[in-house]
Amino acid sequence: MAAKCQIPIRRVGSYGYAFADPLVEVKTAGAPTILYGLVDEEAAAAIVYQHVGQGKLLDGHIIGSRQRGKTIDGPVTAILVRDSSRDEGDKTEFFKESIHAELTEHGLADTVQVVSALDLGIYDEGLTVQLLPSGVTYTNVLSRDITRLVTESVQKQEVLDHLLYSSPDLQERIVLRNCGIIDPESLDDALRHDSYKGFVRALTEQSPEQVIDTVKTSGLRGRGGAGFPTGVKWELTRKPEADRKFVICNADEGDPGAFMDRSVLEGDPHAVLEGLMLAAFAIGACKGYFYIRAEYPLAVKRIQKAIDQTRERGLLGENILGSGWSFDAAIRLGAGAFVCGEETALIASIEGRRGSPEPRPPYPSVQGLWGKPTSINNVETLAAVPWIVAKGGEAYARFGTEKSKGTKVFAVTGKVLNAQLVEVPMGTSVRDIIFGICGGAQDAVPIKGVQTGGPSGGIIPEPYLDTPITYENLSELGSIMGSGGMLVMNENDCMVDVAAFYLKFCVDESCGKCAPCRAGGYQMLQLLQKIAKGRGEPGDLDLIRRICKAMQCASLCGLGQTAPNPVLSSLRFFEDEFLAYIEGGTSYARKLKKARAEGRNLKDVV
């Protein structure tokens, strides 16, 4: 029992590996850090007694390191094995036994463990092997390579260059830099990982204008919606004369399938708080608010703890660090209304009014919270700012494309092998994200398309998956960046149902204030549901398009203006599916409904 008490256990934030939750990371002195996924009660007990107690790794639960080495600088202690092929049978066990037999023959079986890995982050590269602790990774390993792997890499610590996997990691973690690494409830741990370094630098060495210039140089655009330049927004908010100004963190994440903001708030609350403080310093705000969904209790708890800790250390409150500048932050809970993600509705909600949008202008940067200039940024935007201020705008601008700079976090879900959070430089293709990072299609059913931007976005069909992700490219395809939801669909997904699903979400979430959104959305949903039942008429599609255009032009806020996007996108790329329902009638609709209920492949049915 005494030994147990000496082992610290801490709960960190999200690692972003949604496919492998829950996760446990074990750090042992003198041994490589091991991350376990899909940890149930039995695996947790085995981690304690087998790994911690005896130093033996668990089979089938380890997620390999993305930090892949190129040299072997010390004894190999473990070999992770996984067959990354998808077209043939899994050969993981065969190779694991073969490597173990070779180690036994050379008297190394007692010093080198061989275990099957849950995931090594490499796909379609045949049998993949990772050596620990160096992280040297071999791909397309064949049976004839095993002897050399043992005699040269294990015994002589030499790298087999022809097998070495040296492709760079597609991800670049700036926003997620500390998620899963720091203890999110410890300010000291955050400080050890450079948190508040940018804020202290700005407060002691820079003027607010210099901070704004740095953010403008970075090219950072709002990561929550339309992508307005963050530095310009701050500049517009700083200019007006006012006795009070405010900053708001929009953490009202409500897109179906989106969990980026929640993960960052839970995993690195100090990064978001520091970003809010930098925004406040830049525009001259006296008070900041986190508008967080009440459905995110852990995020609320950790942000509150971060606020309390920084206030105790003098980083929040009166005369911060003796600078003469005072600023404080507080939390306001959202009740879960999707429309409150819109700026004016969010402001109304904080003020205690009904969360419904107002016509713009005036914009919040001129007349926002309680009529004062207010800057509103989302979680991801603010979490990137400390890194930018600490390392310089040019460093951030080196990532991405000419007009879309930096990195973007995506929550990849749906019919994909490994659903997870990814952060990639702008300009990375959708295909690289889906296949290169997340492993491609689930259950080997071909991918039909990817919905980006949630209910306000659109569908990118499979032939367009090589499109580099930028604000401009997504707009040309009829979609948007949005907050970063990325839902993968396969050939068994019906686009009529998908369009109706997203539209129903918007109809349910409409505040009802303006007629184009309230009535237009409802009418369009009725038409889509009629078509899905096989009762559609030839003129319905034209009518739907006219309603879409009216909603886009006349709706008061972004919800109504963008609600038609998934419908128009579906019609643009998959009109034949709508026509099939209309021409096939009720018998066709019943046939598809039955096939879906029985789990059959829709392509075979059609």
Side-chain angles (χ1 to χ4, degrees):
M1 293 298 292
K4 282 186 178 178
C5 296
Q6 294 173 2
I7 301 174
I9 299 175
R10 70 181 187 184
R11 183 180 178 185
V12 298
S14 171
Y15 279 76
Y17 296 118
F19 70 95
D21 284 339
L23 296 134
V24 171
E25 187 176 78
V26 182
K27 294 183 178 180
T28 309
T33 298
I34 300 296
L35 180 64
Y36 289 106
L38 301 179
V39 179
D40 54 14
E41 190 173 339
E42 184 180 349
I47 289 172
V48 173
Y49 292 105
Q50 184 176 321
H51 185 142
V52 179
Q54 304 171 23
K56 300 292 185 183
L57 304 183
L58 268 68
D59 210 55
H61 287 277
I62 297 177
I63 297 175
S65 171
R66 265 60 169 175
Q67 301 297 320
R68 300 179 185 111
K70 295 182 180 178
T71 60
I72 305 172
D73 300 324
V76 176
T77 59
I79 300 176
L80 308 183
V81 182
R82 182 168 179 80
D83 187 357
S84 67
S85 304
R86 282 179 290 182
D87 299 333
E88 302 174 3
D90 190 343
K91 298 183 178 63
T92 302
E93 285 301 314
F94 169 77
F95 274 88
K96 194 179 79 172
E97 294 301 324
S98 299
I99 294 172
H100 181 75
E102 192 70 27
L103 288 169
T104 302
E105 186 173 326
H106 290 81
L108 296 167
D110 293 335
T111 57
V112 183
Q113 300 178 59
V114 186
V115 293
S116 58
L118 173 64
D119 181 64
L120 291 176
I122 297 172
Y123 308 99
D124 287 333
E125 293 287 347
L127 195 284
T128 302
V129 168
Q130 186 170 80
L131 310 181
L132 298 180
S134 66
V136 163
T137 304
Y138 296 140
T139 56
N140 293 308
V141 177
L142 304 176
S143 295
R144 64 173 180 263
D145 299 317
I146 292 177
T147 300
R148 288 188 64 199
L149 189 153
V150 171
T151 58
E152 297 185 28
S153 290
V154 177
Q155 285 188 316
K156 300 178 182 176
Q157 299 170 15
E158 295 176 354
V159 174
L160 304 177
D161 290 331
H162 69 291
L163 296 177
L164 184 65
Y165 185 80
S166 56
S167 298
D169 190 354
L170 292 170
Q171 297 202 57
E172 189 64 48
R173 296 203 161 206
I174 292 177
V175 171
L176 302 176
R177 58 193 178 279
N178 288 332
C179 291
I181 295 175
I182 68 167
D183 180 350
E185 298 189 9
S186 169
L187 175 59
D188 288 330
D189 200 27
L191 292 172
R192 280 193 290 272
H193 289 81
D194 293 336
S195 292
Y196 300 101
K197 189 176 180 181
F199 173 69
V200 172
R201 178 187 175 192
L203 196 63
T204 57
E205 301 176 14
Q206 298 180 332
S207 67
E209 289 79 9
Q210 287 176 307
V211 174
I212 292 175
D213 286 342
T214 299
V215 175
K216 288 172 72 175
T217 301
S218 74
L220 177 66
R221 296 168 64 174
R223 298 297 194 239
F228 191 82
T230 302
V232 175
K233 177 182 281 190
W234 289 5
E235 190 174 53
L236 292 172
T237 314
R238 178 168 181 78
K239 282 182 179 177
E241 294 290 335
D243 57 343
R244 290 183 299 164
K245 294 181 182 178
F246 299 99
V247 289
I248 297 174
C249 173
N250 182 355
D252 191 59
E253 183 176 59
D255 294 16
F259 53 95
M260 301 79 61
D261 290 353
R262 177 176 63 81
S263 296
V264 176
L265 290 168
E266 293 178 359
D268 192 6
H270 288 287
V272 191
L273 176 58
E274 185 183 358
L276 189 79
M277 293 158 67
L278 283 164
F281 175 71
I283 69 170
C286 61
K287 188 73 181 277
Y289 292 96
F290 288 90
Y291 188 82
I292 310 175
R293 290 201 155 216
E295 296 99 321
Y296 287 178
L298 184 59
V300 172
K301 173 193 168 188
R302 288 185 168 169
I303 286 292
Q304 185 60 59
K305 196 156 190 171
I307 292 173
D308 294 341
Q309 289 174 337
T310 50
R311 193 181 290 138
E312 289 170 4
R313 298 287 185 92
L315 289 168
L316 275 181
E318 298 294 327
N319 190 23
I320 297 172
L321 299 178
S323 65
W325 178 62
S326 300
F327 172 75
D328 210 342
I331 294 175
R332 292 292 181 268
L333 298 182
F338 184 68
V339 72
C340 284
E342 198 276 338
E343 288 185 344
T344 56
L346 188 156
I347 288 171
S349 179
I350 292 179
E351 291 177 345
R353 297 182 287 120
R354 179 181 176 181
S356 55
E358 302 287 343
R360 296 184 299 177
Y363 292 95
S365 57
V366 178
Q367 189 174 324
L369 190 62
W370 291 298
K372 306 298 180 182
T374 303
S375 177
I376 303 176
N377 300 106
N378 91 320
V379 171
E380 185 182 340
T381 310
L382 291 174
V385 168
W387 189 96
I388 292 170
V389 174
K391 297 183 181 293
E394 295 84 357
Y396 189 79
R398 280 198 289 270
F399 300 103
T401 66
E402 182 180 353
K403 294 183 178 178
S404 297
K405 297 187 181 301
T407 62
K408 178 75 187 82
V409 179
F410 292 98
V412 187
T413 59
K415 309 292 176 57
V416 66
L417 186 64
N418 289 340
Q420 58 183 296
L421 277 188
V422 302
E423 183 174 2
V424 293
M426 289 281 196
T428 303
S429 73
V430 183
R431 192 179 300 279
D432 279 343
I433 292 174
I434 303 301
F435 288 88
I437 299 175
C438 298
Q442 191 181 59
D443 300 327
V445 180
I447 289 175
K448 179 184 278 187
V450 178
Q451 171 84 13
T452 66
S456 301
I459 297 168
I460 301 174
E462 197 281 336
Y464 291 86
L465 292 188
D466 290 315
T467 302
I469 294 180
T470 65
Y471 290 97
E472 297 74 24
N473 288 345
L474 291 181
S475 178
E476 289 178 7
L477 291 173
S479 187
I480 62 171
M481 189 78 72
S483 54
M486 190 173 278
L487 184 65
V488 181
M489 303 174 196
N490 66 26
E491 289 188 347
N492 288 334
D493 288 305
C494 169
M495 289 300 113
V496 179
D497 288 345
V498 169
F501 167 80
Y502 280 113
L503 184 63
K504 186 175 187 306
F505 178 86
C506 292
V507 169
D508 290 343
E509 294 292 335
S510 172
C511 72
K513 185 172 183 177
C514 69
C517 178
R518 182 182 66 246
Y522 179 78
Q523 288 179 355
M524 192 156 53
L525 182 60
Q526 296 298 306
L527 289 168
L528 285 174
Q529 291 177 338
K530 188 177 76 168
I531 292 172
K533 292 176 182 176
R535 297 172 183 166
E537 301 170 25
D540 285 344
L541 298 186
D542 287 338
L543 181 56
I544 287 174
R545 288 190 173 94
R546 289 203 299 273
I547 295 174
C548 285
K549 188 173 182 180
M551 289 180 67
Q552 289 177 323
C553 295
S555 293
L556 185 59
C557 77
L559 193 154
Q561 292 163 4
T562 59
N565 285 355
V567 179
L568 288 173
S569 179
S570 301
L571 282 172
R572 176 180 173 185
F573 296 113
F574 304 99
E575 185 175 355
D576 56 330
E577 292 193 30
F578 291 80
L579 293 173
Y581 271 94
I582 293 172
E583 295 167 359
T586 53
S587 62
Y588 178 83
R590 280 198 296 268
K591 186 169 66 174
L592 287 192
K593 185 178 180 181
K594 183 180 178 184
R596 281 197 294 273
E598 295 173 351
R600 286 187 287 154
N601 192 323
L602 294 189
K603 196 171 184 180
D604 297 336
V605 176
V606 177

